[in-house]
Amino acid sequence: MRFVDLIEKKKNGYSLTPEEIHFFIEGYVAGKIPDYQVSAFLMAVCFQSMEEEETACLCKEMLASGEQVDLSSCGGVLCDKHSTGGVGDKTSLALIPMVAACGLKVAKMSGRGLGHTGGTLDKLESIPGFQTSLSMHAFLQQIKEIGLAIISQSASLVPADKMLYALRDVTATVDSIPLIAASIMSKKLACGSDCILLDVKYGEGAFMKDVQSAKKLAEEMIAIGTYFHKDTKAMISSMEEPLGNAIGNALEVKEAILSLQGKGSADFMELCLEAGSIMLLQGKIAKDKEEAYRKLKAAVSSGAALEKLREMIAAQHGDVSVIDHTDRLPQAKHILPIYASQKGYIHRIHAMRIGTLAMRLGAGRLTKDDIIDPAAGIVLQKKSSDIIEKGAVLAYVHTNRELEEGWLQEFYECYEIHSFAKEKEVLIQGIIG
Ligand code: URA
């Protein structure tokens, strides 16, 4: 077999056979197929796409390129959750303790933030002492003992994805639905859970810019999950504006803690309850949605979910006192109010632009090697459809740096404010699977 023939085949819109996909991934990981040929192939996929079976087969070969986690010693049904990412998305920090408090075991491996989007690991690491890099033995032991753990992905899982993603990143071939689906699902499957809930975001701050593409990505990922006999479901949710109020690592940990104390923002809690209810159904912890909601709400109001977060922080060597004293999380030197320059109804808060502005304060990374400032970020005081008076506080900026020239003007440009009211946009567009 020659790889050039496979490039030609894909260029002309044909599907690759399982043997050809095996030849591709095995040859690439072994260094037998050069980057320039794989780049051409990836670009052909961007234009010609892949059939569902081809994508599942690609995922299977990527999965086979590395190790896989065996969670069988943890006992019971294990559930994983993945978000395609966005601005202010601290869902895992509150949701995982909530479902774990209801008796569902969660073994989660997470990633870091890049660009305008945040990453769960960076958020957790803003808790003084918190360790995200655990041995496999410690990871499994923690799940057995307290039912939840969130750690960084082991380097030995899915090496093919690391190589392919790095190449896609520099060849403008990231935004292909089959490539994204195979990439995400290979990593989720390698983590070994029985059930997977995918939070597929759409909108300005997300990979998928509209609901249709988000649904298409969700369907492809569910098809892969089904091929591997995993109970896979997807929630399609909006990332047109930041989720909740806080954007920035320690600020988002604080918001998650407040949410587990019953003081969370409405949109964030809505997302956690909906995601949690699907997970409890997948894990057979609840027999219907109503019971699932009841259990999750009780886990919050009784303090059991907050207790689970405390247990996870303690098990991963973090300072648990941050739960009762959130001022022990990293604090910025300056907390600057930003006042509304006009009265009106907020119609939009542009997620991507706000996320980029938070990144420029140090809350995120422009390149993979940038060092983030855990204290930096923005806390919104109003969300879209809210009314704001001229001179009222729109947001607080938490920063250790002087604001760059033009930053404030750009911040105002993130808002669309009009004199007429606007209905709140739907946050969750549907559940698939
Ligand atoms: N996230 C991933 O893990 N892979 C992709 O291809 C895109 C987003």
Side-chain angles (χ1 to χ4, degrees), residues 82-84 153 161 165 168 173-185 187 207 217:
H82 177 81
S83 160
T84 55
Q153 194 183 302
D161 182 62
Y165 198 84
R168 288 166 60 208
T173 52
V174 169
D175 63 347
S176 148
I177 287 181
L179 295 180
I180 297 175
S183 163
I184 292 176
M185 288 305 287
K187 288 175 286 196
F207 254 112
L217 176 60

Side-chain angles (χ1 to χ4, degrees), residues 129-150:
F130 194 97
Q131 299 291 314
T132 55
S133 165
L134 299 189
S135 70
M136 189 49 65
H137 174 76
F139 179 55
L140 298 177
Q141 198 59 29
Q142 183 175 322
I143 297 158
K144 263 187 255 177
E145 283 169 12
I146 61 168
L148 76 170
I150 306 179

